[in-house]
């Protein structure tokens, strides 16, 4: 097993060396994305007349940075002969609008997870206290075990939500923040 682990670890390090990121003058990691057709760059729908990107473009952006650490500063370079100057401004704003909305949603989710984990902790503590009362004042071992299990379920859920689920949301929020604050430039494509 150890040999297999070290072999995989060695292959991972080699693939990371091959995928060495380019860094711009501001220290941002350059992500180059080719756009063959820009027909579906913007969503057909907008809220408050603010353009947003399509989920396909968002998936492309997120997939292009999966291999990077979430706190990596980013510089997206879109290469296309289809995008004019007016569209460049609209696309940059649409990317920012989309990820600002995502960031706000993730912050709200983290807040609700915190609140939910606190409630579950208090409910679990209540059932622990109740199980102690039942244990002291009753000979009913089955009732004590049921209440004790209920208490542990609430405490475990609180731990799961606070430490595991919030950690995933925190990771996504940081990634979203970096995409939202990324530098975006547009260049003409070399391909004709």
């Amino acid at each position: 097993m150890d040999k297999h682990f070290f072999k995989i670890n060695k292959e991972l390090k080699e693939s990371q060396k091959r995928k060495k990121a380019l860094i711009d003058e501001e220290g941002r990691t350059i992500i180059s994305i080719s756009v063959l057709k820009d027909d579906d760059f913007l969503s057909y729908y907008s809220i408050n007349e603010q353009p947003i990107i399509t989920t396909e473009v968002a998936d492309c952006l997120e997939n292009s940075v999966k291999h990077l650490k979430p706190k990596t500063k980013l510089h997206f370079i879109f290469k296309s002969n289809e995008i004019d100057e007016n569209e460049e401004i609209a696309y940059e704003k649409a990317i920012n609008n989309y990820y600002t909305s995502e960031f706000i949603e993730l912050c709200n989710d983290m807040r609700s997870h915190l609140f939910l984990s606190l409630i579950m902790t208090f409910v679990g503590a209540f059932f622990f206290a109740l199980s102690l009362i039942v244990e002291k004042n009753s000979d009913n071992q089955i009732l004590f075990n049921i209440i004790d299990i209920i208490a542990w379920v609430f405490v475990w859920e609180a731990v799961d939500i606070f430490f595991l689920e919030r950690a995933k949301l925190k990771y996504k929020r940081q990634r979203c923040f970096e995409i939202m604050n990324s530098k975006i430039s547009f260049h003409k494509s070399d391909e004709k």
Side-chain angles (χ1 to χ4, degrees), residues 18 35 40 42 48 51 60 74 81 83 85 98-99 106-108 128-129 132 137 145 161 173 177-178 183-184:
R18 279 184 261 124
V35 180
D40 292 332
L42 295 179
N48 298 328
C60 176
L74 303 170
N81 293 326
I83 302 172
E85 289 179 12
Y98 181 88
Y99 282 100
L106 287 168
C107 288
N108 290 337
F128 274 129
L132 291 174
N137 298 329
N145 287 341
I161 290 170
R173 183 186 68 175
F177 180 79
E178 294 305 335
K183 181 177 179 181
I184 298 172

Side-chain angles (χ1 to χ4, degrees), residues 19 29-33 58-76 99 171 174-176 178-179 182:
K19 205 170 188 173
T29 300
I30 297 173
I31 307 293
S32 181
I33 298 175
D59 288 343
C60 176
L61 292 175
E62 291 165 21
N63 286 332
S64 70
V65 297
K66 271 186 179 176
H67 66 285
L68 300 171
K69 293 180 181 176
K71 290 189 176 184
T72 304
K73 304 293 183 213
L74 303 170
H75 179 179
F76 289 103
Y99 282 100
Y171 179 88
Q174 184 62 45
R175 173 73 74 209
C176 189
E178 294 305 335
I179 294 174
S182 64

Side-chain angles (χ1 to χ4, degrees), residues 16-103:
Q16 287 174 337
K17 285 179 186 176
R18 279 184 261 124
K19 205 170 188 173
K20 193 80 172 173
L22 297 173
I23 308 294
D24 69 5
E25 63 279 352
E26 296 174 10
R28 296 172 179 265
T29 300
I30 297 173
I31 307 293
S32 181
I33 298 175
S34 296
V35 180
L36 299 177
K37 290 182 76 178
D38 69 333
D39 298 340
D40 292 332
F41 202 95
L42 295 179
S43 174
Y44 294 113
Y45 308 99
S46 65
I47 298 170
N48 298 328
E49 298 180 25
Q50 297 294 317
I52 58 171
I53 57 175
T54 60
T55 53
E56 185 178 0
V57 174
D59 288 343
C60 176
L61 292 175
E62 291 165 21
N63 286 332
S64 70
V65 297
K66 271 186 179 176
H67 66 285
L68 300 171
K69 293 180 181 176
K71 290 189 176 184
T72 304
K73 304 293 183 213
L74 303 170
H75 179 179
F76 289 103
I77 298 176
F78 292 94
K79 294 183 177 182
S80 177
N81 293 326
E82 296 269 321
I83 302 172
D84 63 34
E85 289 179 12
N86 291 332
E87 289 174 323
E88 289 177 9
I89 295 167
Y91 293 172
E92 186 173 352
K93 187 172 185 175
I95 291 169
N96 190 284
N97 289 340
Y98 181 88
Y99 282 100
T100 299
S101 175
E102 288 290 311
F103 183 77

